[in-house]
Amino acid sequence: MLGLGLSCLLLHVFVVFGTELTFELPDNDKQCFYEELEKDVKFDIDFQVISGGNYDVDCFVTDPQNNVLYNEKKKQYDSFSHTTAMKGVYKVCFSNEFSTFTHKIVYLEFRHGDEDPLLQSMTSSTALTQLESSCVSIHEILKVVADSQTWYRLREAYDRTKAEHLLERVTFWSIGQTVLLFVIGIGQVMLLRSFFTEKKGSVAATT
Amino acid sequence: MVSVRMKSSVLSVVLLNLFYSLVPALYFHIGETEKKCFIEEIPDETMIIGNYRTQLYDKQREEYLPATQGLGMFVEVKDPDDKVILSRQYGSEGRFTFTSHTPGEHQICLHSNSSKFSLFAGGMLRVHLDIQVGEHANNYAEIAAKDKLTELQLRVRQLVEQVDQIQKEQNYQRYREERFRQTSESTNQRVLWWSIVQTLILVAIGIWQMRHLKSFFEAKKLV
């Protein structure tokens, strides 16, 4: 009996219907991801630009017949939901072709499937006890907590990249401006001296 | 009795593994010498399991077929200090696992080990990739079998693992916030210090210019 129970447990797969990827998009490049989906499946796409340039990217989503489902230019972050009308390969593409030298780091989350990731297949047909349903609700709440942690992690990464970029620019500009100040300060004096040295000779010559 | 149970468990595990390899995942195309890198920002002591499957474009049949045995992928994982923690070659289908020991951005890089350029035939290699992080990487079926847990115990175990992961992430968040604060304070200090120094330099250069020119004109008997 225990063996049968265990093997049923083993037979049911702990499946997570979703993929999260953070990848680097070089300048003038396009990167596409494909997913094969059934009909009437709800999928969600979340993306965020974490670092690079103006923190924006072009994104478009097409269905198997190449109809554009979503097309946005220069977005920092966005969310897109759709229920598939046909079975086939859906494509989500990110384009950094408008940028000449900055490469971007983009976070993508592709969630699909409306089946709840169950832990045990056996209990899907039987009613849950109070304890079990409490467990299920806690599980769902914890998933929301984990998702919001991901959101905060991404925002923090974005703010941190911006702050580090600012520090770099402040340092670079401080050094540059010091050099410029000295060059101009000394240069002005030298130039002025050179006027008077030449003029004295020519003034003496004309008088 | 025991042997029958063992056989059914083994069969179940085999079927489970089969199911895993049949689960479709997000895929992308990779060129012959191209290296694709993915970044995972994770707290420490977190396990990551990556599954990939490759397919090669067959020109004759004009479709993607599972890649030949000779074609493998080279997987390289770097930790936040740019130290390589995993560098191995796998076959056309593979599964790599690693546990982070320092919190931060880990880089997972994949590239094909193909040396025969004709193999790609001008096409691309299709790579199905699935990366599971932390609590999602746990195989609950295995845990249930190993610790002999009932359904309820397994559910509670899953909750414990989830909360554990949340706590690790929060600790990491605290560490990141400290770094962020250091950067901001450093910027603030630099801006403040630079404003003061700039004012002083300007005043000093102004005074120097006037004194130098005055002595210069006095020497030239123009003043």
Side-chain angles (χ1 to χ4, degrees):
Chain A
M1 192 59 199
L2 186 65
L4 186 68
L6 275 175
S7 44
C8 279
L9 208 80
L10 287 169
L11 261 178
H12 185 84
V13 184
F14 168 77
V15 179
V16 175
F17 285 100
T19 316
E20 273 179 7
L21 286 174
T22 309
F23 60 94
E24 190 172 316
L25 195 59
D27 48 301
N28 280 323
D29 200 10
K30 193 169 87 161
Q31 174 78 42
C32 291
F33 294 94
Y34 309 81
E35 177 86 56
E36 173 132 14
L37 296 170
E38 298 288 321
K39 193 173 161 203
D40 293 330
V41 167
K42 183 169 185 286
F43 69 87
D44 301 287
I45 294 173
D46 286 319
F47 71 90
Q48 267 203 51
V49 182
I50 302 174
S51 86
N54 277 328
Y55 304 87
D56 53 4
V57 77
D58 295 343
C59 174
F60 64 90
V61 180
T62 52
D63 71 358
Q65 286 171 355
N66 266 327
N67 300 324
V68 175
L69 300 170
Y70 170 85
N71 188 3
E72 287 291 329
K73 303 267 172 215
K74 297 196 177 175
K75 280 277 222 181
Q76 199 265 313
Y77 67 89
D78 208 0
S79 207
F80 171 68
S81 255
H82 185 75
T83 308
T84 59
M86 65 194 92
K87 179 183 156 152
V89 174
Y90 285 76
K91 179 169 86 169
V92 52
C93 285
F94 295 96
S95 164
N96 196 20
E97 281 154 347
F98 58 84
S99 170
T100 38
F101 52 86
T102 48
H103 55 254
K104 311 264 162 80
I105 295 181
V106 182
Y107 163 86
L108 165 70
E109 187 183 5
F110 195 112
R111 278 192 311 273
H112 65 275
D114 45 17
E115 297 128 65
D116 286 318
L118 289 172
L119 203 55
Q120 295 99 7
S121 62
M122 279 177 72
T123 56
S124 60
S125 50
T126 58
L128 299 170
T129 65
Q130 228 178 5
L131 261 172
E132 282 173 349
S133 45
S134 304
C135 282
V136 168
S137 18
I138 296 174
H139 175 66
E140 294 298 318
I141 291 168
L142 289 179
K143 274 205 299 198
V144 171
V145 173
D147 271 343
S148 103
Q149 276 193 323
T150 306
W151 170 254
Y152 279 114
R153 171 171 55 89
L154 294 168
R155 297 307 300 168
E156 191 274 339
Y158 165 76
D159 290 335
R160 187 172 22 98
T161 332
K162 257 204 160 153
E164 284 174 356
H165 195 208
L166 181 67
L167 182 64
E168 236 182 71
R169 280 189 295 186
V170 164
T171 313
F172 176 69
W173 179 235
S174 309
I175 295 169
Q177 203 171 5
T178 314
V179 167
L180 207 66
L181 263 176
F182 278 114
V183 161
I184 286 178
I186 296 170
Q188 275 180 332
V189 169
M190 293 295 136
L191 198 64
L192 219 56
R193 279 172 64 131
S194 71
F195 285 156
F196 285 97
T197 320
E198 284 171 355
K199 268 216 172 119
K200 192 172 188 240
S202 58
V203 161
T206 50
T207 48
Chain B
M1 190 66 181
V2 174
S3 63
V4 169
R5 202 183 290 174
M6 269 288 282
K7 274 188 192 162
S8 69
S9 298
V10 165
L11 183 68
S12 314
V13 170
V14 166
L15 280 173
L16 188 79
N17 284 327
L18 207 69
F19 193 103
Y20 258 120
S21 64
L22 290 175
V23 170
L26 206 67
Y27 66 82
F28 54 91
H29 295 129
I30 185 169
E32 188 118 15
T33 48
E34 221 182 321
K35 193 175 191 179
K36 275 280 189 315
C37 289
F38 298 96
I39 299 162
E40 287 293 335
E41 193 172 0
I42 44 177
D44 62 352
E45 305 308 322
T46 304
M47 184 166 75
I48 288 199
I49 294 180
N51 287 297
Y52 75 86
R53 191 161 61 93
T54 53
Q55 282 178 327
L56 196 58
Y57 189 66
D58 189 330
K59 264 201 163 168
Q60 289 160 336
R61 289 199 236 178
E62 285 189 355
E63 61 172 8
Y64 279 87
L65 297 171
T68 56
Q69 285 303 104
L71 188 66
M73 294 289 276
F74 198 79
V75 178
E76 194 182 51
V77 179
K78 283 196 193 148
D79 75 352
D81 306 317
D82 260 340
K83 203 175 61 162
V84 177
I85 56 176
L86 179 74
S87 178
R88 259 191 68 179
Q89 190 170 292
Y90 295 85
S92 60
E93 251 180 63
R95 182 188 163 101
F96 55 92
T97 308
F98 68 92
T99 306
S100 62
H101 297 293
T102 33
E105 285 186 358
H106 290 71
Q107 208 180 41
I108 301 168
C109 289
L110 294 156
H111 65 266
S112 74
N113 69 342
S114 153
S115 52
K116 295 173 269 187
F117 291 99
S118 58
L119 212 69
F120 274 57
M124 303 281 246
L125 187 70
R126 184 179 279 186
V127 181
H128 295 251
L129 183 65
D130 185 35
I131 298 176
Q132 303 293 335
V133 176
E135 180 264 327
H136 297 288
N138 282 340
N139 187 346
Y140 288 101
E142 243 179 69
I143 293 171
K146 196 174 70 149
D147 297 340
K148 295 184 181 45
L149 303 171
T150 64
E151 272 173 32
L152 191 63
Q153 284 175 332
L154 193 65
R155 280 186 196 270
V156 173
R157 181 63 176 272
Q158 188 193 28
L159 293 177
V160 168
E161 297 284 332
Q162 269 189 299
V163 170
D164 209 22
Q165 190 65 31
I166 287 170
Q167 188 189 28
K168 276 189 210 157
E169 185 81 32
Q170 282 194 319
N171 285 336
Y172 179 44
Q173 173 79 357
R174 193 179 302 167
Y175 158 79
R176 277 193 312 251
E177 191 275 336
E178 199 184 304
R179 258 191 63 195
F180 182 18
R181 191 163 19 98
Q182 275 172 1
T183 307
S184 297
E185 284 181 356
S186 171
T187 308
N188 186 31
Q189 272 212 5
R190 278 185 206 189
V191 166
L192 185 70
W193 185 82
W194 170 238
S195 310
I196 293 170
V197 166
Q198 190 182 12
T199 314
L200 290 173
I201 290 178
L202 264 175
V203 168
I205 283 189
I207 292 173
W208 174 81
Q209 276 183 331
M210 290 304 114
R211 281 179 52 188
H212 185 88
L213 284 172
K214 186 169 176 218
S215 61
F216 174 67
F217 288 142
E218 278 171 355
K220 299 276 176 192
K221 298 196 173 70
L222 291 166
V223 172

